[in-house]
């Protein structure tokens, strides 16, 4: 609100948000917001560039982390589960393949919702490492189940 010159409206909003918190003063918070906005406007000449991803160490580290997480997400098997879970359950001989796919999807949704609440308690890094280990173990189990079933080659009858 302060960026649009509505400081009085911002002040009233901060007062209502902090009415039960005696440690926070709406006037002080508004001053911090205005000062941050002013500093941001004064720094307008220093915009980010694509080459900063390579030459600025902090930006390079952020980029590598974000890129690495996205790559790990793809190789963790999540796309396989999204795309082929029902087919996998049919191939391993399950009669209720669609039901199992729904159960897996519900577990995924519950996991995402839970992560929203526990990320602030444990932090992103431990959560990523812990779930990465869990996903790796799950992928090993899925792979073992997939190769355990006897898959004899169909006879070649010469027909296409």
């Amino acid at each position: 609100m302060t960026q649009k010159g509505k400081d009085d409206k911002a002040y009233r909003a901060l007062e209502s948000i902090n009415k039960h918190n005696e440690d926070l003063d709406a006037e002080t918070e508004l001053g911090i917001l205005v000062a941050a906005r002013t500093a941001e406007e004064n720094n307008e000449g220093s915009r980010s560039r694509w080459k900063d991803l390579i030459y600025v160490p902090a930006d390079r580290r952020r980029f590598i982390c974000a890129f690495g997480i996205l790559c790990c997400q793809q190789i963790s098997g999540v796309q396989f589960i999204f795309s082929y879970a029902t087919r996998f359950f049919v191939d391993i001989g399950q009669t209720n393949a669609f039901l199992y796919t729904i159960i897996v999807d519900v577990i995924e949704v519950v996991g995402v919702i839970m992560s929203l609440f526990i990320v602030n308690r444990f932090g992103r890094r431990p959560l990523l490492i812990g779930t990465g280990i869990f996903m790796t173990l799950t992928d090993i189990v899925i792979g073992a189940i997939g190769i355990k079933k006897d898959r004899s080659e169909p006879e070649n009858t010469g027909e296409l």
Side-chain angles (χ1 to χ4, degrees):
M1 285 186 223
T2 59
Q3 50 190 85
K4 295 182 180 179
K6 299 180 181 178
D7 290 353
D8 56 332
K9 195 172 182 181
Y11 180 78
R12 286 195 305 274
L14 287 170
E15 270 188 329
S16 68
I17 290 171
N18 298 326
K19 65 183 171 186
H20 297 296
N21 192 344
E22 295 153 5
D23 295 335
L24 297 174
D25 178 26
E27 192 170 326
T28 305
E29 278 193 75
L30 182 62
I32 292 169
L33 289 172
V34 170
R37 181 63 187 162
T38 304
E40 187 178 309
E41 288 171 354
N42 292 339
N43 267 344
E44 212 167 49
S46 61
R47 297 204 180 248
S48 295
R49 295 174 303 274
W50 283 102
K51 69 179 184 177
D52 291 346
L53 293 176
I54 297 170
Y55 298 114
V56 178
D59 290 342
R60 183 176 52 235
R61 182 170 184 235
R62 285 186 204 113
F63 173 72
I64 290 170
C65 286
F67 186 76
I69 288 170
L70 290 173
C71 287
C72 288
Q73 181 183 21
Q74 291 305 309
I75 64 173
S76 70
V78 71
Q79 195 60 44
F80 170 78
I81 297 298
F82 284 150
S83 301
Y84 302 109
T86 305
R87 182 75 234 169
F88 174 75
F89 288 129
V90 167
D91 284 350
I92 64 170
Q94 297 300 318
T95 55
N96 294 328
F98 188 67
L99 175 65
Y100 292 136
T101 303
I102 291 173
I103 291 169
V104 168
D105 290 343
V106 167
I107 290 170
E108 287 179 60
V109 169
V110 169
V112 169
I113 292 171
M114 284 176 42
S115 72
L116 295 173
F117 296 107
I118 63 174
V119 71
N120 290 334
R121 184 171 187 194
F122 297 106
R124 286 187 176 103
R125 186 168 190 242
L127 199 60
L128 282 169
I129 291 170
T131 55
I133 292 168
F134 178 74
M135 286 188 297
T136 301
L137 295 173
T138 305
D139 285 345
I140 291 169
V141 169
I142 289 172
I145 291 171
I147 62 172
K148 185 176 186 218
K149 184 163 173 53
D150 180 30
R151 298 186 189 278
S152 57
E153 291 288 324
E155 292 181 22
N156 187 358
T157 60
E159 296 178 21
L160 293 176

